[in-house]
Every structure is written in C-alpha cells, then in structure tokens.
C-alpha cells in the first residue's frame, strides 16, 4: 500500500515532526510540502535534520497544492484549517494538528480562542474509552493538544473506575517546542535556559477547556479542572502531575489496578512498575506515554504523573497514529515506543 | 565590626554558597573551612569560582576546628549537626543549613528522617509572622529547607488573611543543586539535561512535614499539605505552584491585597505586578523571592506561584540573613535582591 | 534471517544505545543482557526508555552468559574485552565498543592507556578509504572512539585529495554522555549545565593517538594532530572543528569538491550545501554525519566542521553498522539518517 | 562621590547587565534609561530581575534624554552610537558597548560591518600592555567585543614574551546571550538546547579584525588569526581555546611563567594552578577571567584556554571597569571576581 501524503506547515515544529515520522513509515509516499512565509525555500534550510527531504522546495499552502493527496496533515496556526478542510473532498483524509476542530462547545471556543467556531471532528485520542472506533475510517480527525493528551491519560482511569471526585488539579511542565517556532523574545534560548516559569495561571490557558471536555466525557458528568502550565528548560517533553480527591475507602491498590487494567492493551501507554516515576527523557521522539499513580494518604488524594513527548505523542505521533486508524493500517505502524535517552 | 566565621561542609553546595555570600559581606572575616572526605584539599580545586579563597586548605570538621569563631555555619548531612552544636558554647552562633533542628515534632522527624530527634531551634524564616523577633539575638538557628521556604511564602498570606481552606496542594519544580554534590547516577548531567521527572510523590518527600509545620503555625490550626517535587533541567532555582480552595465570597482583589499587604515591608519578597508571573532566572544568586497570585474562578481555587534560588534564599542566603539578625546587623547586609539574568 | 545478539554492559550508555538500535533492527533477536555491579537488576530500572526490554534481568558478564550468540557487543571499561573475546570462538562476531583493540601501535597504547596492549582488530570506520572491505565478514571489530570518528571524517577528504599539510588542529565540543554513566562529581547536572569547560588539553586525551593513526593511515605518511576536547551542556552530540594549513594554490572550490566526491556514495555522511553549517541537533539519535568545509583565506587554512551523535554514529550506531557489514546485511539496516530535532 | 549615569538600550542584554552591576556600585546614581521600540514600557516588564528599577519607565533614546549625565553607557545596534556621541559634549563620559569605535582601520570596518567608519576611541581592555593609562580620564571608550576580550587575554602573554609564531588559531564556544535579545528563529530555546553549532566559519565573524588588531598591537607586528565561533547551549559564558606554534626551544615552564608574570597584578585575570582548566561557570556574573596554558609537545604548539562571562567582563563588566578608570575611581569598584556556581 502506498499512501500519498501532503504536509501543510512543513517548516514548523509539528510539520517537521510529522515528516520525521513519515520518513520511517513503510506505507507512505511524501507529496507536497507547504508553508506560509517560507514557501519557495529548500526544506533543508529550515529542517536540517530531515536530510532525505533536504532538496524539496516548500510550496504555498493552498487548496490546490494540497489537493490530490490521500492524506493531508495540517500544522497551521489556529483559524486557518477550516477553509482548507472544506475545500478538500472526502476522498482526502484531513488530520488537523491545530486546535480548530477539537472543541465541541462553541461557547468554550469563543471564550478561549475567539472568532467563529469551525465545528468539531473526531478527536484523535484513541486511548479514550470508546474513541478508537470513531477514528477507524474517519476522514477528518482533530489531533489533541499536547497538554490535554498527557493530562487526560493521567487521570481518566481513576475517573472511569470511580475512584476520585470530579475535581482535578493539573500542573504540567513543558519543554519549549510546544510554543512553536515563531520567534518571540521570551522563548529565546537565553531566556529559557536555566529558567522555570509559570504562565496561563488561573485557568486561562487554551488547553483548559479541552481537558475539561475529555474528562467530562470520560466521567459522564462535569469535571472541574484547574490547570497550571509551566515552562522548563528543555526542547521537548511534558510532565503532568494530576491530582484529585479520593473517594472514601479507595486504596492505593485499587488505584494501581485501575491504571494497569485501563492500559493493559494500549500499545503506547506504559504503566511503570511500583516505585518508578516517569521522566520525559524516556519517551523523547517516541509515541510512548509513561504513567505512574500513587495515593497520598495524608491528604487522601490520588496523584498521577504522566509524560509524553509534546511533539510526538503530543502532536505528530498522535497524528500518524490517527492516520493509521483512518486508513485501516496497523495502529502502531511507523511509531516507536522507545525514547531517545540519555 | 568584624565577625569571625567558620563554615563546616565548605566543599559542598550549601557551604560554597555561604562562602560566596560571605565574601561580599562587609562585616565578616572568614575563618576555618572544614570538610569531611575533602579535608586536606585546596578549596580552589573544589570551588573554583571562589578565587579569593582558592589557596585555603580544608581542615577536618571537628569541634576543635570550629571552636573559637563568632559564627559557625553547618552544611552537613543530616544527623551530624547535633554533636557539634552541643560542643560549641553559647558564645558561638550556630546556623545549621541542614535538617536536624527544623522539626518541632519528634514523631514527624522519626517518620521522615529516622533516628533520634535532636530537638528544634528557632526557625530561620523571618518572613513568617512573628518569626523575625525570635531570630534577633538567637544563638542557634535552623535554616529552612528550600522547598518549605518557597512553598510557605507562597501561601501564608492567604492562610493568615483567612481566604482559603487549610487544604494545600504544592507542586514545585527544582533545579538539581538542591540534591547536593554527592555523585549519584540519576543526577548526572546526561540524565538531567533534556529531562523532567517526578520524585517523592505521594507525600514521601522529607520536606513535607516542614511545610505542614509552617502552614499549621501560620494558620493556627492544622493544614493538610499534598506536596509533589519535580526535577527540571537547571542547576539552581525552584518554582512552586501552591493552590488551595477559596472560601466563599473571596475575590481576586482580596487575594492580591492580602499578598501585597503581607509583604509590603519585607526586603526580600517581591509581589509582582498583576499579570506578570515569576521565573526563576530573575532571582538567581539573590536572596529575592518573587510571588504572584491568581484566582481560578472555574474551580474556585487560589493559585500562587513563588520562586527562589534554592541555594541562596533557599539555603545560604537565608543563613546569612539569619546571621545578620542574630548579630544585630542590618538584615540585608551582604545580600542582593537582584538576580543574574539572562 | 534472525541473528541472536548479546550485549555486555547493557546498563551503560553504549550498551543502552546498542539496544535501542537493535530494537528497531528487523533481523535481530536480543539474547543475553549482561552487567557488572548491576547484574540481577531489571533492565527497566536502569534503562527506563527501553520499555520492550523492561522486564529483562541483567546477568553477570561472563564468557558463559555471552557464549552461544551470533553477535556479542561489548560495552565494557577498557581492559576487560580481551579475556572475553579470546574465550569466545570465531563462530561469534565480537564487536567491541571500548578502546582495547583500536590502536595498532603497542607503544601508543602503553602511553595513553597503560597496561598490556591486547592487539588490534579491524577498525570499524567503513567510511575510511579501503576500510569497508576489511569489515565485511569480519569476526572481530573495534568500534572507533567518538572523537576520532567525527574528527577523522572531517579532515580525511582534504588529506586524501592532497589539499593540506599534515598538521591538523582539532577542537571538539562534546556532550556529557561520552563520559559514561559512572557517577563522578564533575559530571553532575549541577556542574555541567550552564557550563563549558576544557579538559585533556595539550594532547593528553586518550583519543589523540587514535586520530593520529586514522589520519596517518589515510594520508600514507605521518600526520601531526593537536587535539583539544571541550565539555558543553548537552547530553549527546559532538561538534568538531578541524583545521589544517592549505597547500599553495588550493582553492575553496577544490576543497568543496574533494568533500562532495569523497562522500558521494556514503549512506551516512552528508556534506551540507554551501553556507549551511552543521549542528548536533540534526543528527541526534541517528547514524548521520553532517560535514561542511570552508577556506579561511586570511590564514590560508582549511576549516572543516563535522557533527555526530557520540552515542549513535560515535559508538552504538557504528557498532550496528559494523555488525551489518560483518554479517553481510545491508549496511544501513536498522539505522536512521534523520536526527531528532528540535 | 555620586556619578549620574544614563543607559541607552536598557531593555537589551548589555544594558540590563550594565544596570545589574551599577545597582551594586556605591558611587552611582542611575538616571535616564532609554530604549528604541520599548520606550514607554516599565523596565520591570522587560528586565524582571532588576527589581529596584522595576517601576522606571523607559524613555526614547535621544540626545536630549541622555544629555546632562556624567556617564552615558550605549548598548545600541552598531551604527547608532556615532550620532549620539558627537552630540554629547566632553563633559559626559561616553562608554560604547557596541562595535562602532573599536576598529582603527577603516578598511577593516568597511569589510566586516559596511557603511562609514565612525572612527576609533580608546579601547577598553585595560589588561592590554600600556592600555590602562589610555583609559584613565578618557571621555570616550569603546568596550571590546566579547570574543576579542577572551581571545586576546588568552594569547597576549605568549606573544609579548616572544614564545610563539604570530599565527593564531581561535576556537571559541559561546552562550547565546552574546547574540542579543532580538528574537530570531535560530536562537529559540528549542533550537539551542541540546545543540552545538558552528557559524561565521572561515574568518567571516565580525570580531575577527578586532582580534587581529589586538594581537598585532601587542606583538608589534602583524599576527594572523583564524577564528571559529561556536554556539553552545548556555545563556552566558565564552570559553576560548587559542593556539599558536611554539618557537624553537620554548618550554612549558617558560609558557607558564609568562602568563603568571603577565597577570600577577591584574585584579580580574586569574591564572589557574597547573592542571586545573577553566570552566565558564566559575566566572558567571563576575568580571573575572580564568586562564590556563599548556604546551602540546607532539605538535609543538602552545594551547591556552580562557573563560569570561560574555555579558560581564565580555561587555558590561568591562564597561563599568572602564568607567571606574575614566572617573579616577578604584578600578574594581562594584565588580566581583567570584562567579555564580554551580
């Protein structure tokens, strides 16, 4: 099988990571590579690690350049995906790495992003209960945000098993690549090395409603989510600590069992052995999620920790995983569970 | 005034930072520098940044080498301070950067450290309500732990002002120097660069009872504390996010006012302007604490963020600040509020 | 084809990277994993990124545990390979990632390593002129050191083409993983982050005679090499600047041509387009070498820059490449040319 | 004595570091703080570490805002200093942290910077033989570039003592802050962390003619300089390796003696004890220079290594040191020799 794939936004981090993964995918032929202001440049000048594609010239992101592919990945600033997606027919699978089609609630979209809500597509987190079936054969898929992916996977087993109150606190430390490749002073190396900072505190980060949506869906009733993102000095990786009050009588053993059971058949989610805590280095470049859970008896709270590579399972890896599902390929094709460490 | 000072554990990070600060202190003369296995070595071989002391030879840590100084700073592994402190007379001010004399509750000591409880000394966090007076003229001072310092200062104003329930969640990201200079594989540069990890999850970190003690003291009633430490890729700095449920009716404005009022006269604690969030880089090498507070209405929780340099205000800076108080010097002598950035 | 492979030193960085690569190699079955003091432990506790092997138990490094495999990779401290290699028969391909069999000159061994010289094996740098043929079907292979690999590949084309005097200056900046996983104070994260340092200055680094050997062999006459290694704050990667005086009349165009020609058919060496300079990030985790060359007319010197991942092409990737050659497999099997960036 | 000082370019890295140092200078009163596009903003929003000046408002950089101060520091893009300097009378000491007045040779200026040559001012490297006297009482001073400072100090003792041929090779690894605070994609944290790269290879970096000028001046005859800069993952610090062929008969002892003698009375230059090599961490935030020298007998080359903090002794520290000389203050006032480590 040879699937012809285009990547819009190929000069950015999401697009570059999609390409890195597709270069190792046995069933894919890489077609058009498009960009905005970088159109006309050699890919090698912008993504020097993608040597096999170094001499490809970026073309402009238009319906015309993207049409005629079996799959189109969109790595575009939010608000730009809808027009393109509508113009591409259903013969093309469109996988949006951006935020445009993630939220089902127009009011939440309006509050956190502004502008008109484009609608919602099947949500590309196959590990959510029942979600995988919605992705098989889908023609449009919204890839989850990086923080929502790791936060959701960290706590859903506890919600589904009925172990905790629907009152979740997330503090997640992210590397800088999640902020993209646009040059902003506060993202300069000189500013981020040797530095940890908080931002979007008080529930203002745009990924907040997406986490709420996921947890509410898994719980079957509203879940309150307090979300605090941190920026820490590394390029890739997110580590999320996710906490919720334990219901009466729930034990550490029950908590652990719920996680082991929830992820027993998941190819990419690995519940660590007792006593071993996740580290981002273990999943760099891979589609793996490492999870651990503990019970803090002194405050009767469940504390789960999960890590992902924000660009891989947090964006581009999930996108490829979803493509595999959409096309009926083996879900793990072209994806690794082994991180680059040290 | 010339104060003659000895530093025990001068080859470690706490001892080195005490010396770095004392070299800029106008009233201090540096006496004996002691070490354990490094006794006999030139200080310059172990602390190459301390050029003015490069040719000093480390002597063994004994009562004899430390006696006869006006002030002795102890930067020793826990369990080693008591014997020395007892043998030094009250003519010597002893300031312990270790944990031995921080906890007032022998049971908490037993649970988290094991071994016999040595007792407790005046606790060296002058910014705690009423605490400064206990430190003026004191002959024995226990310097707080780094996590307790930053966590306590982040939430005490809200507790004192009666804004939150006594149910506090701390997630704090620390640089690696807090773990000291003992060579352990998981602290190697190759392991920590590009890596974020969780440890001591579930309330098992030794700083937990110290945070509980501080908050309970400030609140005047028991405070529950869930504490999760993270290790992030930087040498220095801690960023703590500290959260608690808001009491009914409390507003963001009240929260902000409480913090501004609490720290109005504190020389080292700086409440940032609204909308500006703390970053560790701003306080590196200084005794400053930067704090910000927000209200997350969607979960009715107060979220405070504070940063310190774990080696400076988190250890050695606090130690020098306490020395100043003990000796009746101006509290800020030899200490800076200006971090080294970028 | 299924090749049964053992890895000695599986808990170290070289061994871990060999395993990471072998897990993606289609023709390999992973057999015994051995260690020294870590024998008896789960691999997952020491190499948490190697999830598919997490439950494997490390066994002791002995002839018995290693015998009976088609291929044995040795990732051992120098001086330990000879005894094992001799006891394994010629039915086993032995690939030594250590230094024991790299040097042909016993005197050089004696000077730089001390102890008895074990002898020399075919040198695993297929990109050296004529070297590939010596590796096909070999039963014993010495994997080059990381600095020698990158330094040699940076300058050999100029020597072979007769463009420069045999007087070579190498300054190479390395990440910390090259120093291995043994816990030493100067390799702690707190020491290496935010820090660049020189070491082994003045020609004392053990990789010096190996570079001399390679360049002398390529040049067909003695080449003088001044080598200065630097430690910089990253886990992986080496960037080498290699300079030599240009012979009269040699032009920049000739220099570029020599490099393009030398590496035209090399699957892993990529001469960058004019004006683009190598960066280590582009090759992380891959077997790629990126090279660029310029002429500094003001001093009539050729300046070449090359990068490798010290653990991949600099150690474990080269080892797998050599295994492929030894077994008659396609040389590139299981190896990537695409780095993990950003 | 109270000196009234203005800083132009106060929102940049050079300006920020000048302010950090001036805040610790006992004889200085900080006057106007000016900026280009950041005029009108609070300094605290741009330099959050400079808490005592947080509420200062940046004014536009004009002759009017800068006039009437005793000293004006210029931290401006090159080409902007001349107009301002001419309009300020000789009653104002002007210290230019930029490149405009460093080069004496208009042709070198034209080649490396382009545009008209503004002229040259006394060069602010007091450690150059004879240079200190030119700076005492000077009204205009050109602060050296960071690479030239560290490279020059590393090799001048050998040139002055007549130990080496005038054929110098510099490879210098720099942190990212030397590139300034302007947001460029290749300086993003995601691009620089975990990454080492070469740039300006082949003698094209603008600091090349400045190094040539310094060495030629010290040597009293032309010195050829091959200069290769590297970017490594840290905010601050430069480590330079500087090499030159030894003249016949010169010994390692002579080399060492030359360095020890040359810097015996220099307050900021520290020749390390034999066997100890410089690291940038030791000088962070300080005005110190650490130097070491070795002889590589195998190639008969002198190898010197020096480190500075590029923003401190490499820019702002030198600027303050020069101000002290210009005003007749003690040269070391407000400057430290103790770096922030770890």
């Amino acid at each position: 099988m040879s699937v012809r794939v285009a990547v819009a936004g190929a000069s950015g981090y999401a697009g570059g990571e999609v390409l890195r993964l597709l270069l190792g995918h046995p069933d894919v032929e890489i077609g058009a590579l498009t960009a905005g202001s970088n159109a006309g440049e050699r890919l090698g000048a912008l993504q020097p690690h993608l040597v096999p594609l170094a001499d490809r010239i970026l073309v402009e992101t238009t319906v015309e350049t993207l049409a005629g592919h079996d799959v189109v990945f969109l790595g575009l600033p939010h608000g730009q995906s809808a027009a393109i997606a509508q113009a591409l027919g259903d013969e093309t699978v469109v996988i949006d790495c951006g935020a445009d089609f993630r939220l089902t609630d127009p009011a939440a979209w309006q509050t956190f992003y502004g502008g008109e809500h484009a609608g919602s597509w099947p949500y590309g987190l196959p590990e959510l209960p029942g979600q995988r079936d919605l992705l098989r054969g889908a023609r449009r898929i919204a890839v989850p945000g990086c923080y929502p992916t790791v936060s959701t996977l960290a706590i859903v087993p506890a919600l589904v098993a009925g172990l905790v109150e629907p009152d979740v606190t997330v503090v997640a430390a992210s590397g800088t690549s999640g902020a993209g490749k646009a040059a902003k002073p506060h993202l300069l190396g000189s500013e981020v090395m040797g530095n940890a900072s908080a931002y979007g505190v008080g529930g203002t980060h745009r990924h907040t409603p997406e986490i709420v949506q996921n947890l509410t869906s898994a719980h079957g009733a509203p879940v309150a989510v307090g979300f605090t993102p941190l920026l820490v000095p590394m390029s890739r990786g997110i580590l999320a600590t996710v906490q919720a009050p334990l219901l009466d009588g729930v034990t550490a053993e029950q908590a652990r069992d719920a996680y082991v059971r929830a992820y027993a058949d998941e190819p990419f989610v690995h519940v660590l052995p007792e006593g071993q805590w996740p580290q981002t280095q273990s999943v760099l470049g891979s589609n793996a999620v490492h999870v651990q859970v503990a019970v803090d008896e002194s405050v009767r709270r469940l504390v789960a920790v999960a890590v992902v590579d924000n660009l891989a399972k947090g964006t581009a890896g999930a996108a490829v995983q979803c493509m595999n599902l959409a096309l009926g390929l083996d879900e793990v094709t072209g994806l690794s569970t082994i991180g680059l460490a040290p």
Side-chain angles (χ1 to χ4, degrees), chain A:
Chain A
M1 174 174 186
S2 182
V3 180
R4 202 168 145 74
V5 175
V7 176
S11 60
Y13 287 151
E17 185 72 353
V18 166
L19 288 171
R20 189 182 70 83
L21 295 172
L22 292 181
L23 283 165
H25 195 294
D27 302 319
V28 160
E29 179 196 350
I30 296 175
L33 306 182
T34 83
S37 58
N38 289 314
E41 296 216 46
R42 287 176 66 251
L43 188 70
L46 297 156
Q47 307 275 22
H49 60 304
L50 301 176
V51 171
L53 301 171
D55 292 328
R56 289 288 196 91
I57 303 299
L58 292 165
V59 296
E60 226 174 313
T61 302
T62 66
V63 174
E64 289 68 34
T65 55
L66 295 171
H69 294 84
D70 300 313
V71 180
V72 171
F73 289 94
L74 302 178
L76 303 174
H78 74 82
Q80 301 188 4
S81 299
I84 283 169
Q86 281 164 348
L88 294 170
D90 250 16
E91 70 281 3
T92 300
V93 173
V94 182
I95 297 176
D96 187 8
C97 295
D100 289 21
F101 297 96
R102 291 176 191 157
L103 296 182
T104 55
D105 178 5
W109 175 269
Q110 186 63 40
T111 303
F112 282 87
Y113 292 90
E116 205 178 346
H117 184 224
S120 71
W121 289 353
Y123 187 75
L125 191 59
E127 294 83 1
L128 270 185
Q131 194 66 17
R132 185 167 274 115
D133 288 342
L134 304 179
L135 298 169
R136 292 193 213 277
R139 311 306 290 172
R140 296 288 183 273
I141 296 177
V143 176
C146 50
Y147 285 120
T149 293
V150 67
S151 306
T152 300
L153 296 176
I155 196 68
V156 153
L159 286 167
V160 166
L163 307 181
V164 293
E165 292 178 30
D167 177 17
V168 172
T169 302
V170 179
V171 178
S174 175
T176 54
S177 60
K181 211 175 182 170
K184 297 172 191 163
H186 76 285
L187 296 173
L188 284 173
S190 305
E191 301 290 318
V192 298
M193 290 186 283
N195 199 10
S197 56
Y199 70 108
V201 185
T204 64
H205 192 284
R206 282 170 167 167
H207 285 177
T208 307
E210 192 180 336
I211 304 174
V212 170
Q213 174 175 300
N214 292 348
L215 302 194
T216 296
S217 158
H219 183 57
V223 177
V225 176
F227 171 47
T228 307
L230 312 178
L231 199 65
V232 297
M234 55 195 197
S235 285
R236 288 179 179 238
I238 300 184
L239 181 145
T241 64
V242 187
Q243 310 190 35
L246 282 168
L247 294 180
D248 284 353
V250 173
T251 65
E253 200 171 26
Q254 284 174 294
R256 182 162 184 83
D257 285 354
Y259 280 73
V260 169
R261 221 168 38 237
Y263 294 130
D265 297 328
E266 285 299 337
F268 294 114
V269 187
H270 180 59
V271 180
L272 291 172
E274 274 191 82
Q276 192 172 346
W277 286 90
Q279 59 170 17
T280 57
Q281 210 184 47
S282 293
V283 300
L284 293 187
S286 87
N287 213 47
V289 186
H290 288 195
V291 187
Q292 183 57 288
V293 63
V295 159
D296 185 342
E297 274 301 340
S298 70
V299 292
R300 285 293 298 161
R301 226 176 259 143
L302 180 139
V303 189
V305 177
V307 294
V308 298
D309 181 329
N310 57 302
L311 289 182
K313 177 59 177 168
T315 306
V320 171
Q321 185 182 0
C322 288
M323 177 191 78
N324 289 339
L325 286 167
L327 298 177
L329 299 170
D330 185 348
E331 186 175 340
V332 303
T333 312
L335 296 168
S336 169
T337 58
I338 305 166
L340 185 71

